[in-house]
Amino acid sequence: MVSFSLDNKIALITGASYGIGFAIAKGFAQAGAKIVFNDLNQDLVNKGIESYKQLGIDAVGYVCDVTVEEQVKEMVSKIEKEIGDINILVNNAGIIKRIPMTEMMSEDFRKVIDVDLTAPFIVSKIVIPSMIRNGGGKIINICSMMSELGRETVSAYAAAKGGLKMLTRNIASEYGEYNIQCNGIGPGYIATPQTAPLRTEGHPFNSFIISKTPAARWGTPDDLIGPAVFLASSASDFVNGHVLYVDGGILAYIGKQPK
């Protein structure tokens, strides 16, 4: 029988105080997992814990910069001692800097690469040994449509998310024999507080996204819960190195013909 249960599993979701990571963590908790998350400072961690409490979720938060290997080692060690070994890892923490390429400083480019690509490498490499010892595990990388497409002002983000797609495939290739499945989720355009200014009626970008999406709407963070639970559960034990695009059909669609 196919099981989507996450009972007795410990899930680390990076940067999950709010937004997409929070929604995925909420879905994991509903499926039975123990939720652990991190953020950059104690205020964000406290806000995240309070948000989880309001939903009846007993999440545990840690302050950690996932771009700093020593901090990640310390966090994972604490999780293993205080809660247990991590069975599910979601590399969710990320940033974007929308700057035309010729105007972007190299340090800004490196910062995006560091958070969106190097950090998933660091956290994964530190978690994988315990997954091997325990006979398997699940790693989910939050990729993007920019893992496949380019558009103006997001050169660093597209480079990082394209790299994350290939890191996903390589982890699957290198550690699949240990019953570790590493897959990605590629969200489409999601309705979050950050995109609220773009989603006002009459805004050209809002009209553009709706016209390019067969579903004719923006996605919601909750649209990602089902795919994430699937990839975290035993239902996906023979799915490895795949990026599941949750985009309302954008990548399959050339767009409407102008009238």
Side-chain angles (χ1 to χ4, degrees):
M1 181 178 177
V2 173
S3 176
F4 295 92
S5 171
L6 302 181
D7 285 347
N8 302 315
K9 301 297 184 182
I10 296 169
L12 168 61
I13 304 97
T14 66
S17 296
Y18 58 90
I20 287 172
F22 182 85
I24 289 173
K26 177 180 68 174
F28 284 179
Q30 291 168 347
K34 175 68 177 179
I35 303 303
V36 181
F37 71 99
N38 81 291
D39 221 313
L40 283 171
N41 60 59
Q42 193 63 52
D43 283 345
L44 287 171
V45 168
N46 291 343
K47 288 177 182 176
I49 289 172
E50 183 58 33
S51 296
Y52 286 112
K53 280 183 179 178
Q54 290 175 9
L55 296 175
I57 298 170
D58 183 24
V60 180
Y62 294 86
V63 176
C64 178
D65 182 343
V66 288
T67 69
V68 181
E69 188 162 348
E70 288 306 312
Q71 289 190 29
V72 176
K73 285 180 180 177
E74 183 179 354
M75 177 182 69
V76 171
S77 178
K78 285 182 179 179
I79 293 169
E80 291 175 350
K81 289 176 183 176
E82 297 171 5
I83 302 170
D85 288 340
I86 295 162
N87 309 111
I88 302 161
L89 167 64
V90 181
N91 286 307
N92 166 75
I95 61 171
I96 188 169
K97 292 181 181 289
R98 294 182 175 88
I99 305 170
M101 182 174 167
T102 56
E103 298 173 18
M104 190 175 216
M105 303 297 292
S106 58
E107 54 263 37
D108 287 329
F109 186 92
R110 290 191 184 101
K111 179 63 176 177
V112 174
I113 298 293
D114 210 22
V115 175
D116 293 0
L117 179 56
T118 307
F121 162 77
I122 290 171
V123 184
S124 298
K125 68 169 277 193
I126 292 170
V127 168
I128 283 171
S130 69
M131 290 183 172
I132 293 174
R133 289 195 306 270
N134 290 324
K138 303 282 186 173
I139 299 173
I140 302 171
N141 293 323
I142 303 303
C143 296
S144 167
M145 289 191 303
M146 298 303 107
S147 299
E148 301 289 343
L149 302 172
R151 69 181 301 266
E152 62 277 7
T153 77
V154 294
S155 58
Y157 185 78
K161 293 299 186 178
L164 187 58
K165 175 182 71 174
M166 293 311 301
L167 178 64
T168 299
R169 291 177 176 177
N170 201 79
I171 292 172
S173 301
E174 196 163 353
Y175 297 102
E177 66 179 294
Y178 299 102
N179 192 33
I180 294 172
Q181 291 84 49
C182 181
N183 294 289
I185 291 177
Y189 285 90
I190 304 297
T192 65
Q194 292 91 333
T195 60
L198 301 175
R199 289 185 282 109
T200 55
E201 189 171 348
H203 193 293
F205 192 78
N206 183 58
S207 303
F208 168 69
I209 292 304
I210 291 174
S211 70
K212 286 290 292 181
T213 306
R217 66 172 177 87
W218 289 67
T220 70
D222 283 359
D223 285 323
L224 302 168
I225 291 176
V229 170
F230 165 66
L231 292 176
S233 73
S234 61
S236 61
D237 280 354
F238 205 57
V239 179
N240 214 357
H242 176 73
V243 180
L244 174 53
Y245 290 99
V246 186
D247 65 356
I250 288 179
L251 287 173
Y253 187 43
I254 197 170
K256 292 182 179 179
Q257 180 176 322
K259 294 180 180 179

